[in-house]
Amino acid sequence: MTDRFDLRALYEASRLLSTSGDRNAIVRTLLLSALSKLLVTRGVVLLWEPLVQRFRVADVRGPVGMAPGEELTLPQPVADRLLLEAEVPEVLRQRSLCLVVPLMFRHRLLGLLSLGRKATGEGFSKRELEFIQALATLSAAALHNALLIEELQQANRDLDLRLQQLNTLFELAQEFNATIDREQLAHLLSLALMGQLLVNRYVLLIRLEGTERPSSFQVLAARGLPTTLRSEQIEHLARLEHPLLLEDAPPVWDWLRALQLYLILPIRQQGETQAILGLGRRMNNLPYGPEEVEFLYALGTLAATAIRNTLLVEVQVEKRRLEREMQLARQIQQRLLPRQLPQVPGVELAACARTSQQVGGDYYDVLQEPGGSLRLAIADVTGKGLPAALLMANLQACLHMAVPLALSLETSTVHINRVVCENTEADRFITFFQARYEPTTRQLVYVNAGHNPPLLLRASGEVLSLTHGGLLLGVFPQAHYEAEQLSLTPGDVLVLYTDGVTEVANAKEELFGEKRLLACLETHRNASAQAIVEAVRQAVEAFTGREAGYEDDFTLLVLKIVPL
């Protein structure tokens, strides 16, 4: 029965609120409904006056010590949630009020409902608080509608001025949309302010796209004022959420008064301040009325949107330019990788390389040396994207220069490491593995510079990790490296890979890992080199559930020894 009564009371209140466009009637209905339902003997409704930044008493019942029309200042920030007892501002608690309910509509504070204690002396129950919040929500919507009605009534009283303003805004919208020249947009804003309101001093600050900190605001249009402001001044302005009349503002805003500004309008969209319009006094010394403020808000929104659009156009142009450059970089990088693997008797070769971005930092190569031996290499550059790709290109050039010199693997690795150290920052390094395989003798010599140890699956069933070598490249210019030599036999499989193969994760954040890689290799060790590569790729994609797209660069190179 109680729930039905709550619903009936809300229904009756909603019916009364929805049929009234009178602010006073809405406030009276809200307060009387709250008092009667909660058995409270005193209460007050305060409405927020944005131009003066104060609350005004709209209706009062019981011995509260306030009268309708009286203005009241509450501590900032004003509550945006229900407050009980000790949370209630002191100025209201002194008047025996123990409950504050905000009247919010779409993140906009319209006012406050404040009530005293229940006549029974009991505290408010959860159901009663839910009821009063629901009633406040209904009332806020009705208040919002009433405000709209009042604005329409005011518009009817000033029809000629309104029509002129609307026509001006319509024409300005067309003008603003017809150009992406910011100087022209600022000129149009100046003409509109001067022509409609006789304002010849203004500043427009706009939040830059994709930024969140207050310091991201920048002055993008101004007249009669400095075109730059100090960062602390901009941050102070960015915190504004409501219009600010400087003649009533505290001393902290003296620096704006010194600039001869009079009104500050924060232009908010989707709950965030996107622009700030600061205005000097009108040349006819008339105050800014509600209709002028509304016109200024619409004009500021138009100008801010148009100027933000120019910034977006510039970002898009730059983005397309970067995309074209990245496509070109990808084409260049693809040419750095082997287009075709050497065909050598007694050897099967296969590889797979996929980047997580348009360009990547993984590198592999198979080169045929002058004496007929094969040089195999694989590397992983720290990071992703263009910086990693540039460092990868540097490594490729070093390796291709070292191969014709017939240097030992130890010596060539030392030279490559020195070049990398000289040409990279301290936080950039490369894991690198290179090997020389002589098909006629089936001898393999390798050096591992901090790379994921390649796996050698012997035909006998033995599995070796090739770890011999030294430090990764780019860490210590004087690093030394040691090589290890192994004899291979038909049926042996050498698998080189980057961490994008083993460290890829599935939806449960489990890594594919070396154990799964080894299990896949052992299952397919008797297949061809190409079939082994394909089996690993499919196993990784099945594990992650992704058929395309990798979180990290994925590179795999397989060398299989077959009978001559």
Side-chain angles (χ1 to χ4, degrees):
M1 290 294 294
T2 306
D3 291 340
R4 284 189 203 157
F5 180 71
D6 290 345
L7 291 173
R8 189 180 303 114
L10 280 174
Y11 171 76
E12 291 297 329
S14 174
R15 186 175 59 81
L16 292 173
L17 292 169
S18 62
T19 56
S20 176
D22 186 320
R23 242 197 309 181
N24 293 330
I26 293 169
V27 168
R28 186 167 56 254
T29 299
L30 166 63
L31 189 54
L32 291 177
S33 298
L35 294 177
S36 60
K37 173 60 181 172
L38 271 61
L39 301 179
V40 174
T41 59
R42 69 182 72 198
V44 62
V45 176
L46 306 171
L47 294 184
W48 177 246
E49 299 291 346
L51 287 179
V52 296
Q53 293 287 285
R54 295 193 190 96
F55 287 96
R56 179 181 58 79
V57 178
D59 198 3
V60 62
R61 292 290 186 273
V64 178
M66 288 187 284
E70 180 181 339
E71 292 185 347
L72 186 67
T73 301
L74 293 178
Q76 293 290 338
V78 178
D80 58 358
R81 60 181 179 84
L82 186 145
L83 302 179
L84 277 170
E85 299 294 345
E87 293 183 310
V88 174
E90 177 66 22
V91 66
L92 297 178
R93 280 190 285 120
Q94 289 176 352
R95 292 168 168 81
S96 299
L97 299 172
C98 63
L99 173 66
V100 172
V101 184
L103 304 176
M104 304 286 296
F105 184 82
R106 293 181 181 173
H107 308 291
R108 177 186 176 191
L109 181 67
L110 301 179
L112 301 173
L113 168 65
S114 188
L115 302 175
R117 290 179 174 80
K118 297 176 64 173
T120 61
E122 300 174 348
F124 295 107
S125 68
K126 179 181 179 181
R127 186 171 58 252
E128 288 172 331
L129 294 177
E130 291 174 349
F131 170 82
I132 201 65
Q133 282 209 297
L135 181 62
T137 300
L138 292 172
S139 302
L143 278 173
H144 176 74
N145 292 335
L147 290 171
L148 293 179
I149 291 173
E150 290 178 6
E151 290 172 1
L152 289 174
Q153 292 172 342
Q154 181 66 31
N156 289 330
R157 288 191 293 268
D158 301 320
L159 182 59
D160 290 340
L161 175 61
R162 291 288 187 158
L163 288 175
Q164 182 184 4
Q165 289 178 345
L166 289 174
N167 288 333
T168 300
L169 288 173
F170 178 74
E171 293 171 1
L172 284 171
Q174 292 179 315
E175 293 287 341
F176 281 139
N177 290 330
T179 180
I180 58 173
D181 185 337
R182 281 202 290 275
E183 291 186 3
Q184 177 64 17
L185 292 172
H187 180 63
L188 288 172
L189 178 60
S190 296
L191 291 178
L193 290 172
M194 186 64 187
Q196 293 297 312
L197 299 173
L198 298 177
V199 176
N200 64 354
R201 181 184 296 270
Y202 76 91
V203 62
L204 179 65
L205 293 87
I206 296 179
R207 182 193 292 271
L208 298 184
E209 187 67 23
T211 55
E212 298 176 355
R213 296 177 62 251
S215 58
S216 66
F217 280 84
Q218 287 191 9
V219 177
L220 290 184
R223 180 172 179 177
L225 290 165
T227 56
T228 58
L229 296 174
R230 297 197 305 272
S231 60
E232 61 269 20
Q233 294 173 331
I234 292 177
E235 290 179 7
H236 203 179
L237 283 171
R239 286 192 288 270
L240 282 175
E241 296 184 0
H242 305 284
L244 176 68
L245 274 173
L246 289 171
E247 65 178 4
D248 300 324
V252 70
W253 297 106
D254 284 346
W255 66 274
L256 280 176
R257 280 188 281 264
L259 296 175
Q260 299 181 38
L261 290 175
Y262 178 74
L263 174 66
I264 307 297
L265 284 178
I267 298 171
R268 295 177 63 80
Q269 296 172 335
Q270 298 179 345
E272 287 189 348
T273 301
Q274 301 295 342
I276 300 165
L277 181 61
L279 302 152
R281 288 185 178 273
R282 303 172 67 182
M283 294 180 66
N284 55 11
N285 288 323
L286 291 177
Y288 292 95
E291 63 277 2
E292 283 85 8
V293 171
E294 184 179 343
F295 174 78
L296 286 168
Y297 190 89
L299 177 61
T301 301
L302 278 176
T305 301
I307 292 177
R308 282 170 64 86
N309 286 341
T310 67
L311 297 173
L312 288 175
V313 169
E314 292 177 359
V315 169
Q316 288 298 320
V317 170
E318 179 65 14
K319 181 180 178 181
R320 289 174 184 170
R321 184 185 67 81
L322 290 175
E323 286 176 349
R324 288 194 296 269
E325 291 183 357
M326 290 296 287
Q327 290 173 357
L328 179 60
R330 180 179 178 83
Q331 294 171 5
I332 294 173
Q333 187 180 47
Q334 290 298 317
R335 294 192 186 102
L336 298 180
L337 298 177
R339 296 187 181 181
Q340 186 174 1
L341 297 177
Q343 301 291 321
V344 178
V347 172
E348 286 185 0
L349 289 165
C352 176
R354 297 193 176 187
T355 58
S356 60
Q357 300 181 9
Q358 283 195 327
V359 292
D362 277 11
Y363 167 64
Y364 80 93
D365 216 336
V366 181
L367 303 172
Q368 196 156 14
E369 297 182 333
S373 59
L374 292 176
R375 179 76 66 94
L376 292 80
I378 192 166
D380 187 358
V381 179
T382 55
K384 302 175 184 177
L386 195 56
L390 291 173
L391 192 50
M392 184 271 268
N394 192 0
L395 173 65
Q396 189 261 6
C398 290
L399 181 64
H400 279 242
M401 290 180 64
V403 167
L405 300 178
L407 301 174
S408 67
L409 293 186
E410 304 97 306
T411 303
S412 66
T413 305
V414 167
H415 288 321
I416 292 172
N417 174 63
R418 187 176 299 117
V419 172
V420 171
C421 288
E422 291 174 354
N423 291 279
T424 59
E425 300 294 334
D427 61 343
R428 291 282 179 178
F429 54 85
I430 303 172
T431 66
F432 177 65
F433 175 93
Q434 66 167 333
R436 176 183 291 120
Y437 176 68
E438 175 55 60
T440 58
T441 62
R442 293 184 179 143
Q443 294 298 303
L444 178 79
V445 182
Y446 76 88
V447 170
N448 190 334
H451 193 74
N452 298 79
L455 298 173
L456 177 59
L457 284 74
R458 296 281 198 183
S460 62
E462 182 185 10
V463 178
L464 299 179
S465 292
L466 307 190
T467 60
H468 211 72
L471 289 174
L472 41 78
L473 306 182
V475 175
F476 183 55
Q478 286 76 37
H480 293 280
Y481 298 89
E482 297 179 355
E484 183 178 25
Q485 183 169 329
L486 300 169
S487 295
L488 304 187
T489 60
D492 287 352
V493 178
L494 177 63
V495 181
L496 286 63
Y497 62 94
T498 60
D499 58 11
V501 176
T502 54
E503 295 183 10
V504 64
N506 61 12
K508 298 179 181 179
E509 297 186 356
E510 298 172 334
L511 298 182
F512 184 72
E514 293 183 4
K515 288 184 178 180
R516 289 186 176 88
L517 173 61
L518 183 57
C520 179
L521 293 174
E522 289 181 333
T523 301
H524 299 88
R525 63 186 305 159
N526 295 322
S528 66
Q530 184 61 49
I532 293 173
V533 168
E534 187 64 18
V536 173
R537 184 187 64 80
Q538 292 178 0
V540 170
E541 291 179 353
F543 176 77
T544 60
R546 292 189 297 269
E547 293 184 1
Y550 291 82
E551 295 179 356
D552 197 0
D553 298 335
F554 176 103
T555 303
L556 186 69
L557 174 61
V558 172
L559 167 74
K560 183 170 185 178
I561 311 303
V562 296
L564 291 172

